[in-house]
């Protein structure tokens, strides 16, 4: 079946630190991959996506590259800000429909 | 433009009671999805409507859950009778129908309803 595994949190970083949140997946075929973010008190928002191998999704300084050979889609940001504190979810959809999510990684950025 | 709204934001009920959650999608979005996040676990897909029709309900856990979308606008998810393991956050999402084969239309999520069954 389809599944997503992402690193356990919480992750605590100082402002301007480098961020990596690991995500690996299992899927049949060629899924589309996503990172969603949930800020406190809000719904999930699409952060970035990649629909085929070697695609790089990017938004708000965050990047993730679709690596088919390692079945990974790690999220990175070179310099985090306090406002990036949120829960980050890696997700896939094998057929552009319902999403399969990971458990989420809580990020806290301190000044 | 209003986003996806969900009501109530929180609900606390006792085991055996009935609860109905409501989702209002973005106007014009034919796709409507329900998901659930149980504490410490993944967000799990429950079901998918296209307009008023159930496209995929493979994620519905059991027959205590009933989802409807009469008229293809808002949707309700009823849990009857509620059990302790039904506690969690229920998310609704909506999207437009893709006009091109292979295109992905972003799912927009509501803030969720936190359900606590005591």
């Amino acid at each position: 079946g389809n599944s997503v595994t992402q690193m356990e949190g919480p992750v605590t970083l100082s402002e301007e630190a480098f961020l990596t949140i690991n995500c690996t997946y299992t899927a049949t075929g060629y899924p589309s991959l996503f990172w969603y973010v949930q800020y406190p008190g809000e719904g999930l928002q699409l952060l970035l996506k990649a629909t085929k191998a070697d695609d790089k999704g990017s938004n708000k300084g965050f990047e993730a590259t679709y690596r088919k050979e390692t079945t990974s889609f790690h999220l990175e940001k070179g310099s985090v800000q306090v406002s990036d504190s949120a829960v980050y979810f890696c997700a896939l959809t094998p057929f552009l429909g319902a999403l399969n999510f990971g458990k989420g990684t809580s990020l806290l950025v301190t000044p | 433009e209003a986003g996806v709204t969900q009501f109530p934001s929180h609900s606390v009920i006792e085991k055996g009671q009935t609860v109905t959650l409501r989702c209002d999608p973005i106007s014009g979005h034919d796709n409507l999805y329900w998901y659930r996040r149980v504490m410490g676990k993944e967000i799990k897909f429950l079901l998918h409507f296209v307009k008023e029709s159930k496209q995929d309900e493979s994620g519905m856990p059991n027959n205590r859950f009933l989802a409807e979308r009469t008229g293809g606008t808002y949707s309700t998810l009823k849990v009857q009778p509620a059990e302790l393991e039904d506690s969690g956050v229920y998310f609704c999402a909506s999207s437009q129908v893709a006009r091109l084969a292979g295109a992905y239309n972003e799912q927009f999520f509501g803030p969720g309803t936190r359900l606590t069954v005591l």
Side-chain angles (χ1 to χ4, degrees), chain A residues 4 34 36 38 41-46 49 87 89 93 95-104, chain B residues 33 35 37 40-45 48 56 89 91 101-104 106-112:
Chain A
V4 174
F34 309 88
Y36 276 79
Q38 185 179 22
E42 299 182 14
L44 282 79
Q45 301 174 24
L46 178 63
K49 69 178 188 290
V87 182
F89 294 90
T93 179
F95 51 83
L96 300 176
L99 294 162
N100 294 82
F101 286 93
K103 290 185 178 182
Chain B
Y33 302 83
Y35 295 87
R37 187 185 190 199
K41 297 193 175 181
E42 300 88 346
I43 298 173
K44 290 284 195 183
F45 164 75
H48 170 205
D56 180 359
V89 180
F91 292 101
Y104 175 76
E106 178 181 348
Q107 292 184 30
F108 293 86
F109 281 76

Side-chain angles (χ1 to χ4, degrees), chain B residues 4-5 14-15 35 45 61 65 70 72 75 80 86-88 108 112:
Chain B
V4 177
T5 57
E14 293 190 350
K15 176 182 171 180
Y35 295 87
F45 164 75
F65 289 74
T70 307
S75 174
Q80 179 182 28
D86 300 332
S87 296
F108 293 86

Side-chain angles (χ1 to χ4, degrees), chain A residues 65-78:
Chain A
T65 301
Y66 189 143
R67 301 285 188 200
K68 193 172 188 306
E69 64 277 12
T70 54
T71 61
S72 65
F73 193 55
H74 305 322
L75 182 68
E76 296 183 335
K77 186 174 186 182

Side-chain angles (χ1 to χ4, degrees), chain B residues 66-83:
Chain B
L66 175 63
E68 296 180 322
R69 193 182 182 196
T70 307
T73 54
Y74 71 91
S75 174
T76 58
L77 180 65
K78 180 190 288 187
V79 185
Q80 179 182 28
E83 297 289 345

Side-chain angles (χ1 to χ4, degrees), chain B residues 1 25-31 69 72-73 94-97 99:
Chain B
E1 180 182 340
I26 293 172
S27 177
H29 282 193
D30 287 341
N31 288 314
R69 193 182 182 196
T73 54
S94 72
S95 70
Q96 293 178 321
V97 172
R99 288 178 172 77

Side-chain angles (χ1 to χ4, degrees), chain A residues 52-70:
Chain A
K52 60 183 187 297
D54 300 325
D55 268 2
K56 176 185 284 188
S58 61
N59 186 25
K60 300 181 180 180
F62 290 89
E63 293 183 340
T65 301
Y66 189 143
R67 301 285 188 200
K68 193 172 188 306
E69 64 277 12
T70 54

